[in-house]
Amino acid sequence: MNRPPRFPVLLGLSHVALTWERLWPVLWPAVAVVSVFVSLSLIDVLPHLPGLVHILVLAAFAGALGVAVHYLITGFRAPRHGEARHRLERDNDLRHRPLTALVDRLSAGDDDPQAVALWIAHRARMASTARHLGVRFPAPGLMRRDPYGLRAVVLLFFIIAIAAGHGDPASRLGRAMVPQFGGTTGILL
């Protein structure tokens, strides 16, 4: 008895969902740092800072991004094939790991017709169990890691900054990257 025809597709979707569940929590800090920097740039705050303060703010953002990228690199672990299969079983409340049985082989007793018949019957039963599978949406669990919802504040700030800086975003980003020394820059209030 072969696997159901949808099984490879569902297994792939389960793998993608599991990858996202593991990737997004470790990617989010880097996204947040970049979003806050771009937001500040689009509302044109950084060019109005004194040169030294502007450099310190850029250094702080670079350091925060470095830490976030390090966290991403060291914190992400790609799912293995068996973990995607196990997630699919968990998503569908399947007990006794029927999807594992679909990829297993009979380890001993190939020459015993009763063992082979029992194995075929077992795989057929597991395949019928696996015919009605579905994959749940990923649940990366950011609510556990961000109980105060700061990600919503970052997103709202980013949306407001896009609206405010829609006229000339490239020049605003450029000004944010180059501190000005001397001149008439001052802190905006």
Side-chain angles (χ1 to χ4, degrees):
M1 186 70 171
N2 289 338
R3 294 177 281 195
R6 296 179 341 135
F7 182 68
V9 172
L10 291 172
L11 195 59
L13 289 173
S14 178
H15 193 274
V16 167
L18 191 57
T19 300
W20 183 251
E21 287 175 349
R22 291 183 181 179
L23 179 63
W24 186 238
V26 295
L27 179 62
W28 172 246
V31 170
V33 169
V34 170
S35 295
V36 170
F37 176 76
V38 170
S39 298
L40 287 174
S41 299
L42 289 177
I43 60 174
D44 228 9
V45 169
L46 299 178
H48 296 286
L49 296 174
L52 185 58
V53 174
H54 192 161
I55 286 176
L56 291 174
V57 169
L58 289 176
F61 273 110
L65 184 59
V67 169
V69 168
H70 180 267
Y71 177 65
L72 169 64
I73 291 169
T74 60
F76 178 69
R77 187 178 59 84
R80 297 185 309 265
H81 186 72
E83 291 173 320
R85 190 173 50 244
H86 184 63
R87 183 187 192 277
L88 192 57
E89 290 169 334
R90 214 176 46 241
D91 282 355
N92 293 279
D93 295 324
L94 299 178
R95 295 184 182 175
H96 309 297
R97 313 230 10 187
L99 301 180
T100 303
L102 293 177
V103 296
D104 277 350
R105 292 180 289 122
L106 184 60
S107 63
D110 294 7
D111 53 352
D112 182 6
Q114 289 178 335
V116 171
L118 185 60
W119 178 249
I120 290 171
H122 173 66
R123 285 182 50 116
R125 191 173 72 242
M126 295 299 109
S128 71
T129 302
R131 290 208 194 289
H132 306 287
L133 296 176
V135 178
R136 291 187 183 157
F137 278 109
L142 273 182
M143 289 175 60
R144 274 191 323 261
R145 295 173 184 181
D146 182 17
Y148 301 111
L150 295 178
R151 63 194 181 283
V153 173
V154 170
L155 179 63
L156 183 61
F157 185 44
F158 187 69
I159 291 170
I160 291 169
I162 287 174
H166 75 281
D168 60 344
S171 65
R172 289 176 186 237
L173 286 169
R175 284 193 304 267
M177 297 294 289
V178 180
Q180 298 295 320
F181 292 95
T184 61
T185 59
I187 297 176
L188 288 178
L189 295 178

